Amino acid sequence: MSIFKSIKFRLTVWYLIAIMLLLVAFGAVAYFMLSKSLYRNLDNALRARLAELESSITVENNQISFEQKFNDFILIYDANGALLQRLGPNVRFSNIEEMVEQALFGEGSFLTTPTTEGQDVRLYAAPFNLDSQTRIAIIVGRRTREIHDMLSIFRVVIIYSALAVILLAGIGGMLLANRTLKPFDHITDIAREIGEGDL
């Protein structure tokens, strides 16, 4: 009888399929939770950073400045949605008009968008009232490269760990199947030795 048609092989295959499905489900959930946690931490950091900028903002001759240094991406838009100032690295973004409008309407929002250089940046836009009649939108952003690197490392760890678990599960499954079915093999061997005249 071919090994591929044996009960031991089939039991091992089904066992490995169950293990793989569990590993895929675990890996997907763990990846999703890690990604969500990393972006939540980044969003909280952006909120805190924008609060720091708002507390140090000064306006002189319609020129907005801050009392502290920064390496983040800073964009300031006037009440008409026109770009007033670009501070920090000189990088351009696309598809941020909607979040600017939301900020001018008084709603903060987050967006992950690529730069013209192809690097993803996480942006946070929030309204800021210069006075009772003038509202501007301030956008602060940071690159997501560190998050991407961490998620890439996590994917590699998950894949190699899953392969190791599947290999060990396959060996353990074969040993377990052999041990479980050994009495049945013994009965089968005895049945084959019984002849018509030898009961």
Side-chain angles (χ1 to χ4, degrees):
M1 181 173 60
S2 174
I3 187 174
F4 297 107
K5 295 181 180 180
S6 66
I7 297 178
K8 296 177 184 179
F9 179 78
R10 292 180 181 179
L11 286 175
T12 303
V13 168
W14 282 109
Y15 176 69
L16 289 178
I17 291 176
I19 292 293
M20 283 190 290
L21 291 176
L22 289 174
L23 289 175
V24 169
F26 170 78
V29 171
Y31 183 87
F32 173 77
M33 292 182 65
L34 176 61
S35 176
K36 191 173 181 179
S37 176
L38 291 174
Y39 277 101
R40 186 189 304 115
N41 292 337
L42 178 57
D43 291 347
N44 291 335
L46 290 176
R47 282 196 187 97
R49 187 57 175 150
L50 195 139
E52 291 177 0
L53 294 174
E54 290 178 345
S55 65
S56 65
I57 193 170
T58 57
V59 181
E60 291 185 12
N61 299 324
N62 294 326
Q63 187 73 15
I64 299 173
S65 60
F66 301 93
E67 297 177 357
Q68 53 181 287
K69 298 180 180 180
F70 49 84
N71 296 318
D72 302 311
F73 301 100
I74 307 293
L75 302 172
I76 303 174
Y77 289 82
D78 64 15
N80 297 318
L83 181 63
L84 283 177
Q85 288 180 252
R86 182 191 304 273
L87 306 174
N90 187 18
V91 175
R92 298 187 179 276
F93 307 95
S94 58
N95 304 322
I96 63 173
E97 294 81 7
E98 184 176 349
M99 72 182 311
V100 172
E101 292 180 3
Q102 289 180 355
L104 292 175
F105 276 109
E107 298 180 5
S109 61
F110 290 94
L111 176 68
T112 301
T113 183
T115 66
T116 53
E117 300 173 352
Q119 297 178 344
D120 285 345
V121 174
R122 185 70 168 173
L123 300 174
Y124 174 54
F128 181 78
N129 296 322
L130 293 178
D131 52 47
S132 60
Q133 297 180 344
T134 307
R135 172 181 287 169
I136 62 174
I138 302 178
I139 298 178
V140 59
R142 290 180 181 174
R143 290 186 175 91
T144 60
R145 182 171 52 195
E146 291 183 1
I147 293 179
H148 292 169
D149 292 343
M150 292 184 66
L151 291 177
S152 297
I153 294 173
F154 183 76
R155 283 197 300 268
V156 172
V157 171
I158 285 292
I159 290 173
Y160 281 103
S161 299
L163 292 176
V165 169
I166 290 172
L167 178 61
L168 294 175
I171 296 173
M174 286 296 294
L175 294 175
L176 183 62
N178 284 330
R179 185 173 182 179
T180 303
L181 297 177
K182 190 172 183 179
F184 296 97
D185 292 338
H186 184 63
I187 294 173
T188 301
D189 293 337
I190 293 176
R192 287 175 181 169
E193 294 174 359
I194 296 175
E196 186 174 340
D198 183 14
L199 299 179

